[in-house]
Amino acid sequence: MSLRSRQNSNASSPGPFFWHHSGVDAVIRKLGSSENGLASMQAEARLQQYGRNRISSPERRGFLARFLGQFQDVLIYVLLGAAIMTAVLRHWIDMGVILGVVIINAVIGLIQEGKAERALDAIRRILSQQALVVRDSRLIQIPAEELVPGDVVSLQSGDKVPADLRLLHSKELRIDESILTGESVPVNKSIDVIEADASLGDRRNMAYSGTLVIYGQGRGMVVATGDKTEIGRISGILSEVQTLTTPLLRQMAIFSRWLTLTILIIASLTFLFGIFVRGYTATDMFLAAVGLAVAAIPEGLPAIMTITLAIGVQRMARRNAIIRRLPAVETLGSVTVICTDKTGTLTCNEMTARSLVTSEGIFEVSGVGYDPHGAFMHEDRLVEPVDYPTLREVARAALLCNDASLSMQENQWRVHGDPTEGALLVLALKAGLDPLRQQEERPRSDVIPFESIHRFMATLHHDHAGHGFVYVKGAPERVMAMCAFQRLGGEDMPLDEMYWREFMEMMAWRGQRLLAIACKNTEGSFRSLKFSDVETGLTLLGIVGLMDPPRDEAIQAVHECHKAGIRIKMITGDHGTTALAIAQMMGIGDGTTRLAGHEIDAMDPALLRKQARTVDVFSRASPEQKLKLVIALQEAGAVTAMTGDGVNDAPALKRADVGIAMGLKGTEAAKEAAEIVLADDNFASIAHAVEEGRTVYDNLKKAILFILPTSGGEALVIIAAILLGRILPITPLQILWVNMVTAITLALTLAFEAPESDVMSRPPRNPREPLLTGFMLWRIIFVSLILVVGTFGLFLWERGHGATADTSRTIAVNTLVFFEIFYLFNARYMHITSFSWRGITGNPYALWASGILIVIQLVFTYWPPLQFLFDTAPLSVIEWGRILVVSLSVYVLVELEKLCFRGIQSRHRKMRVTDQTDHPF
Ligand code: ATP
């Protein structure tokens, strides 16, 4: 026995006690608990004693390490190199300004990185796990962090085991322990005592924290929590370190490195050209080359991209889409197909039984929501349920084969448990049944719980006169296949399938979700239920039609997605006709075409690819068929988002480009597999996430589109002067100043840009599109040239009109800074015009940054110490006027350029629409 397992076995006291090697009774005694768990008071005291059930997060890097981390970038190394060289040349001011740039960059990076990390931490907390625990003899849900040794925890398929447990009960429990043992085949669990020296993977009577329940049910007693659990010991695995990086950021980092190299080469060439062709001194040329390199290096870019991404993640969280893996933020922007569940995502998941069919005919049920008051209508008149024994029998089965409960909270009836079952409970109450009395008369002895894969639930009951009863409810096709009879007037008659199918089709067309209810009599001594017991010989009692209305906001969101060029596909476990009816209400599909799960299985891959593209409604689809569909869609070229909630949805969620799990009704297994978790399960939140994803990408592009031409413009001013052999319009020191005051401040404001008004009316981004498109390169060159021509031109004009070198340079520096301010407002929108009230005032950060920058420039121009340091001269109002007129030109020219591009684009789009009527997605 290893030391580790020895320690493990002693969560409560030292000594050679092995949880897996001890019987259930011994474990319970050792933990001072009982099969009915702990009392709240006891649990409270233990929580104080053992601490919260969470794994301590790895030590955060200290302040100094984080600060120094900001300097680890090639761009910054070059700047530091330049600072050292200027120090060697004893140009202390140059050195000071270069270091100023580096430090401002590091401080902003540090602050924003801290914010970004806190945002991700907060998101991790939202995703905190819950556990079903027995406290005070009642099964309640609590945050998993509050579990203590001795608690009794209930497990069901899809759950993540919340602590280390010794199993007390196991019903076909299978657990995926790959996270702990690396073994990918799920382990069958039991409660039998195991050899003391069994390895972790062989301790079948234990369930370890962090592992996933794949199938079945179980109960276990908590033996270790937090860092004492097996996973806590090999800590780190679970902490899911989210690094602030994505493929795009990595691509950008590589780009920055190449850019730095190019800049260094250009600076060196300029240096040589200046000395040998233009005859400048080596020192002057060196300072000019340093100024050029520092100006051209987009040192703020990496920080700004990280910040933009973090802000996007925070915004999505505010709109109920919790990002678990950062690259999803980028992928969202290029999603072309969203495959969504129906129940609870497109619909409200508030079920109400509206109709009921028995052999006696169809009954309509009245009432609102979960309010258990309502009446039954049969053949257009009100009827009393007591007069219809089969109806009462359906209601009794619906009540007993049911785990939901109902309560009145804040004047509203609320369901605890599955809404489908809640609706059946309400139906039984409307039929006049008393749940407590029924449960006492026919107590339950076993259950086969509902699982989407077999689409039914069965319970075993007995009365107190030696009779046994099996009740089954589930999808009608599934249940009818188990039935041989139907009930009429207390008698069992042969099943007349046609009779039921006609009614089912009618109810499904109303958009109702169908559930068949059946029963079977057994021996009273019978106490456990197997699949084989329910597979044949049942008697069909009736079929219930449940209405689950569409969510209004989801209808709106479907419409928005269509406008955004995203195709919505509904993949549901529900009946085909019901699915079509709901899809029609939602505006999904053509109202007639649908594909059933078994048809998917029968198709060859080529046909499936075609059908996956054209069909929008898929019914009775299993998780495996969902996976096939995602693969087919991806092979057909779609970027696919897929929703899921069950444990078996995990493969499809993993395979999808963006897997989206339901936060409320989703299992932990689905959440683990997904990139995004929806806090409210609502389809509208997916549409919002797509909108935010597109916005993040836009904002990243905007930051690039701002930083590159402004850095380029600054550098080109120096290059142009050297090439033309004129005196520099801006001294190297002044260019360092401009770079210091504008580099990060202005561009950072673009990270806060709200979505553009047309963000959801353009087609999805092509994922293969490079970050720097032809259009962006054009814009970068166009703006750089405006900046150079304007700055240089005005400088030469001033010189020509008798201004001193200092005044002309002060004008040139201010022109450059004002160019950047005006261009910032252009850059707020990529294609649409910024010449509007919103365009000018819409981003308060941009206004603040511009205001502060203007003040800084006034100080730079008029404050004697800075005049002395930077050779600036005070300017007259007329001179300021000329600066404003020239710098405003960038605003006007870029707006004109946008106008031209919009014209070209709309003509292009019209042409595309006419020759491409069959857009694949
Ligand atoms: P979606 O994938 O859109 O969420 P769904 O929720 O309708 O679809 P499932 O939950 O897999 O899909 O349900 C499939 C069918 O199983 C339902 O149409 C219903 O007939 C039946 N069913 C659903 N819930 C229960 C339940 N608690 N007990 C018995 N049968 C159920």
Side-chain angles (χ1 to χ4, degrees):
M1 155 120 359
S2 70
L3 180 64
R4 224 176 75 188
S5 50
R6 200 178 287 274
Q7 282 166 348
N8 165 53
S9 56
N10 295 309
S12 58
S13 71
F17 187 89
F18 307 114
W19 303 116
H20 60 278
H21 187 51
S22 310
V24 165
D25 291 339
V27 170
I28 294 176
R29 233 177 300 120
K30 179 87 183 161
L31 288 164
S33 183
S34 77
E35 286 241 24
N36 288 331
L38 300 171
S40 303
M41 298 279 282
Q42 242 177 329
E44 190 65 35
R46 289 190 186 196
L47 192 61
Q48 301 294 333
Q49 186 187 346
Y50 293 98
R52 295 201 154 248
N53 175 29
R54 68 172 162 229
I55 297 170
S56 341
S57 41
E59 288 274 304
R60 273 271 163 90
R61 283 182 308 155
F63 175 79
L64 195 64
R66 285 151 60 91
F67 185 68
L68 292 178
Q70 301 297 323
F71 295 90
Q72 281 160 17
D73 192 298
V74 197
L75 303 177
I76 305 292
Y77 296 157
V78 175
L79 295 187
L80 290 176
I84 293 171
M85 297 298 273
T86 45
V88 171
L89 293 171
R90 295 174 181 276
H91 279 260
W92 303 115
I93 309 172
D94 298 58
M95 185 203 76
V97 179
I98 298 176
L99 286 183
V101 175
V102 175
I103 289 170
I104 292 177
N105 190 50
V107 169
I108 293 188
L110 189 71
I111 295 171
Q112 294 297 341
E113 190 185 273
K115 273 194 186 159
E117 280 180 2
R118 275 197 299 282
L120 289 182
D121 277 354
I123 284 168
R124 236 170 272 151
R125 272 198 298 279
I126 303 177
L127 290 176
S128 70
Q129 208 188 328
Q130 300 285 312
L132 264 182
V133 59
V134 185
R135 289 268 174 92
D136 303 318
S137 304
R138 272 193 0 207
L139 197 61
I140 55 166
Q141 195 168 35
I142 60 164
E145 276 197 11
E146 290 172 16
L147 286 179
V148 291
D151 263 330
V152 172
V153 173
S154 162
L155 297 175
Q156 45 195 321
S157 68
D159 284 353
K160 185 152 100 177
V161 178
D164 283 1
L165 311 177
R166 167 64 163 91
L167 293 170
L168 308 177
H169 172 78
S170 160
K171 187 165 168 86
E172 297 190 46
L173 190 64
R174 288 210 282 278
I175 298 189
D176 172 355
E177 296 185 335
S178 53
I179 186 172
L180 210 56
T181 60
E183 173 58 62
S184 57
V185 180
V187 182
N188 287 315
K189 295 289 178 179
S190 71
I191 59 168
D192 305 337
V193 175
I194 310 274
E195 285 301 304
D197 59 356
S199 68
L200 214 59
D202 292 331
R203 298 182 198 165
R204 292 176 183 269
N205 56 14
M206 300 289 291
Y208 289 107
S209 180
T211 57
L212 287 172
V213 181
I214 297 299
Y215 193 82
Q217 292 175 303
R219 259 187 193 207
M221 184 162 286
V222 176
V223 298
T225 58
D227 290 336
K228 298 252 167 39
T229 59
E230 286 298 328
I231 199 81
R233 289 159 188 282
I234 39 172
S235 74
I237 294 190
L238 262 195
S239 60
E240 258 188 58
V241 193
Q242 273 254 33
T243 47
L244 275 166
T245 187
T246 69
L248 183 68
L249 292 197
R250 277 194 290 275
Q251 200 184 325
M252 209 51 217
I254 295 170
F255 170 76
S256 304
R257 249 170 266 153
W258 281 107
L259 189 67
T260 311
L261 190 68
T262 317
I263 292 168
L264 289 179
I265 292 173
I266 293 177
S268 313
L269 290 177
T270 316
F271 174 74
L272 296 174
F273 184 88
I275 297 176
F276 296 111
V277 182
R278 295 284 174 228
Y280 291 108
T281 67
T283 314
D284 279 354
M285 265 328 292
F286 178 76
L287 290 176
V290 167
L292 188 163
V294 174
I297 288 176
E299 63 272 16
L301 201 53
I304 286 168
M305 299 198 67
T306 312
I307 294 158
T308 309
L309 206 66
I311 291 175
V313 169
Q314 242 173 334
R315 276 208 199 135
M316 288 187 192
R318 249 178 263 137
R319 301 181 85 179
N320 291 321
I322 318 296
I323 301 289
R324 290 188 71 244
R325 299 197 179 92
L326 275 181
V329 180
E330 283 164 20
T331 321
L332 270 172
S334 49
V335 161
T336 54
V337 175
I338 301 176
C339 298
T340 171
D341 286 351
K342 171 180 71 64
T343 312
T345 315
L346 293 171
T347 63
C348 302
N349 208 12
E350 283 164 16
M351 313 266 178
T352 318
R354 287 264 164 257
S355 38
L356 191 163
V357 180
T358 69
S359 303
E360 293 149 342
I362 184 161
F363 298 80
E364 305 296 339
V365 190
S366 69
V368 182
Y370 294 121
D371 185 342
H373 301 96
F376 291 79
M377 302 263 294
H378 181 50
E379 293 171 351
D380 290 334
R381 58 191 174 80
L382 275 179
V383 293
E384 283 302 324
V386 274
D387 301 331
Y388 295 87
T390 322
L391 187 157
R392 293 270 293 184
E393 200 48 34
V394 172
R396 176 173 19 204
L399 186 146
L400 291 174
C401 186
N402 198 320
D403 287 327
S405 63
L406 200 64
S407 72
M408 178 76 137
Q409 278 171 12
E410 293 155 10
N411 271 337
Q412 254 201 325
W413 289 98
R414 285 184 201 281
V415 158
H416 306 277
D418 178 11
T420 306
E421 299 191 350
L424 292 178
L425 184 60
V426 171
L427 176 79
L429 292 167
K430 285 178 184 168
L433 297 184
D434 173 1
L436 278 181
R437 204 169 131 206
Q438 293 296 330
Q439 281 152 10
E440 269 164 25
E441 280 178 11
R442 294 191 175 182
R444 188 195 286 187
S445 32
D446 202 6
V447 57
I448 298 177
F450 174 75
E451 301 253 6
S452 292
I453 16 172
H454 26 261
R455 296 199 180 101
F456 75 87
M457 167 177 175
T459 49
L460 175 66
H461 302 257
H462 58 89
D463 64 10
H464 305 288
H467 305 107
F469 311 90
V470 176
Y471 291 116
V472 178
K473 73 176 195 309
E477 306 94 293
R478 183 75 173 97
V479 175
M480 268 162 71
M482 304 168 170
C483 293
F485 313 100
Q486 62 191 55
R487 180 76 48 93
L488 181 63
E491 297 288 319
D492 282 356
M493 340 263 289
L495 185 72
D496 173 6
E497 281 203 31
M498 279 310 290
Y499 169 84
W500 297 98
R501 287 200 187 283
E502 264 172 41
F503 279 114
M504 277 162 55
E505 198 61 15
M506 184 182 94
M507 294 197 289
W509 267 122
R510 297 179 189 167
Q512 290 176 2
R513 180 182 173 85
L514 305 181
L515 253 145
I517 296 186
C519 72
K520 186 178 183 177
N521 294 341
T522 63
E523 296 291 317
S525 55
F526 206 47
R527 285 290 184 271
S528 99
L529 200 56
K530 294 189 297 299
F531 269 86
S532 52
D533 300 327
V534 293
E535 242 135 38
T536 51
L538 297 184
T539 302
L540 184 62
L541 296 174
I543 291 180
V544 182
L546 307 166
M547 193 57 211
D548 178 16
R551 292 177 187 260
D552 288 339
E553 66 277 22
I555 298 179
Q556 174 68 21
V558 166
H559 178 68
E560 260 172 43
C561 288
H562 283 156
K563 236 176 46 194
I566 300 169
R567 196 146 173 177
I568 310 298
K569 300 194 182 271
M570 184 170 104
I571 307 182
T572 173
D574 226 329
H575 186 274
T577 313
T578 311
L580 263 187
I582 297 281
Q584 220 168 9
M585 295 180 205
M586 307 292 315
I588 297 174
D590 59 7
T592 51
T593 327
R594 68 176 155 93
L595 210 60
H598 64 270
E599 293 173 300
I600 295 176
D601 284 337
M603 277 178 195
D604 67 64
L607 182 61
L608 182 59
R609 271 199 298 277
K610 185 160 172 278
Q611 296 282 325
R613 268 178 48 184
T614 49
V615 178
D616 290 336
V617 180
F618 300 87
S619 61
R620 293 292 188 225
S622 67
E624 294 74 37
Q625 290 150 356
K626 272 184 164 183
L627 178 62
K628 281 188 183 172
L629 271 174
V630 175
I631 296 174
L633 282 165
Q634 286 175 331
E635 284 174 355
V639 179
T640 314
M642 161 77 86
T643 66
D645 48 19
V647 55
N648 301 307
D649 286 335
L653 290 175
K654 276 195 190 139
R655 173 69 199 227
D657 298 278
V658 183
I660 305 173
M662 299 300 143
L664 299 177
K665 69 167 186 168
T667 55
E668 286 297 324
K671 290 182 202 168
E672 293 273 296
E675 268 94 24
I676 299 182
V677 177
L678 291 188
D680 61 352
D681 292 9
N682 191 338
F683 180 82
S685 302
I686 305 179
H688 293 151
V690 169
E691 183 182 344
E692 293 295 348
R694 289 181 173 199
T695 306
V696 167
Y697 207 85
D698 275 0
N699 289 355
L700 289 176
K701 275 186 165 179
K702 286 174 191 175
I704 295 171
L705 264 187
F706 178 78
I707 291 180
L708 293 187
T710 48
S711 306
E714 289 170 18
L716 279 179
V717 170
I718 296 189
I719 295 178
I722 293 168
L723 291 184
L724 297 173
R726 304 202 169 247
I727 69 160
L728 291 174
I730 299 180
T731 65
L733 186 59
Q734 287 168 342
I735 208 90
L736 292 178
W737 163 270
V738 175
N739 192 57
M740 180 174 78
V741 294
T742 62
I744 312 180
T745 40
L746 289 181
L748 188 60
T749 64
L750 293 172
F752 298 90
E753 274 303 326
E756 286 193 23
S757 57
D758 70 338
V759 71
M760 287 300 269
S761 44
R762 338 173 183 134
R765 173 176 57 85
N766 178 352
R768 279 182 289 278
E769 174 191 287
L771 184 62
L772 279 181
T773 57
F775 161 74
M776 289 174 75
L777 279 176
W778 148 256
R779 173 76 63 84
I780 291 166
I781 295 169
F782 180 58
V783 176
S784 304
L785 287 178
I786 298 176
L787 263 55
V788 180
V789 172
T791 311
F792 216 149
L794 187 57
F795 172 79
L796 292 179
W797 192 91
E798 295 289 347
R799 288 291 287 162
H801 286 76
T804 63
D806 282 357
T807 307
S808 310
R809 282 185 173 140
T810 312
I811 290 175
V813 169
N814 281 309
T815 310
L816 197 53
V817 172
F818 275 84
F819 261 136
E820 297 193 16
I821 293 178
F822 282 119
Y823 178 56
L824 178 68
F825 289 86
N826 290 126
R828 289 196 51 216
Y829 303 127
M830 204 119 55
H831 298 290
I832 62 173
T833 179
S834 302
F835 187 61
S836 64
W837 181 246
R838 187 174 167 232
I840 295 163
T841 60
N843 181 344
Y845 298 98
L847 289 175
W848 273 105
S850 308
I852 293 170
L853 197 52
I854 292 171
V855 173
I856 292 177
Q857 279 312 108
L858 291 177
V859 175
F860 174 78
T861 311
Y862 295 105
W863 195 42
L866 287 190
Q867 287 178 343
F868 173 73
L869 285 179
F870 291 95
D871 294 329
T872 52
L875 301 180
S876 68
V877 177
I878 309 272
E879 283 160 338
W880 277 114
R882 281 200 290 273
I883 290 173
L884 286 182
V885 169
V886 171
S887 52
L888 189 61
S889 66
V890 73
Y891 186 76
V892 177
L893 288 171
V894 172
E895 288 308 307
L896 285 175
E897 178 246 34
K898 285 185 192 173
L899 192 70
C900 294
F901 267 102
R902 280 201 302 274
I904 296 171
Q905 261 180 350
S906 72
R907 217 169 321 136
H908 209 70
R909 222 174 279 154
K910 266 188 216 140
M911 272 162 50
R912 267 226 310 259
V913 172
T914 38
D915 24 278
Q916 196 185 333
T917 38
D918 183 28
H919 182 50
F921 295 103

